[in-house]
Amino acid sequence: MCHVLAVLADGSTLHRRIVGRAIDAAGLSDDARAEALHSGEFRSKQRLGWAINNLNKAGIIERPSRANYRITETGRAWFADNPEGIRSCSEANRVFAPYWFDAEKTRPGVVTEETKAMAEDPIE
């Protein structure tokens, strides 16, 4: 994520080519760039896609038009405080959990406290 933010730090709006620039900023070796998943997709491009998606959901970057991205003011402040990005799963969970899909809340037939509260009569 820090490489995506570093590429966008100047405030410019970049097309999806941000992925290539972020890979360059990360200084990945040729072997790392060539590492492919079973699907044939490059691991680095997939990971950067995840980063862009999560940063966008969290409001750290925005998508002013299709496949175009820029850093937000919130993103500038967050990046200034976290120039190394996120280094652990627990930190990622703390920052991004509110924006991640929650399968438990959306599975049919699963009743949570939240769904109970929504079903109650407003008078209650």
Side-chain angles (χ1 to χ4, degrees), residues 21-66:
R21 289 184 183 187
I23 288 171
D24 292 342
L28 292 181
S29 68
D30 290 340
D31 288 342
R33 290 173 189 250
E35 186 178 347
L37 301 168
H38 293 294
S39 65
E41 184 179 12
F42 292 112
R43 181 180 304 274
S44 58
K45 288 185 178 183
Q46 183 192 50
R47 297 283 167 86
L48 281 164
W50 289 347
I52 290 167
N53 189 40
N54 285 313
L55 289 166
N56 184 47
K57 286 181 180 181
I60 295 172
I61 65 174
E62 63 185 352
R63 193 177 89 167
S65 60
R66 187 170 187 257

Side-chain angles (χ1 to χ4, degrees), residues 70-89:
R70 72 176 161 230
I71 195 167
T72 63
E73 288 304 316
T74 301
R76 287 180 201 282
W78 189 86
F79 189 45
D81 292 341
N82 303 279
E84 297 296 316
I86 293 176
R87 295 293 181 185
S88 69
C89 289

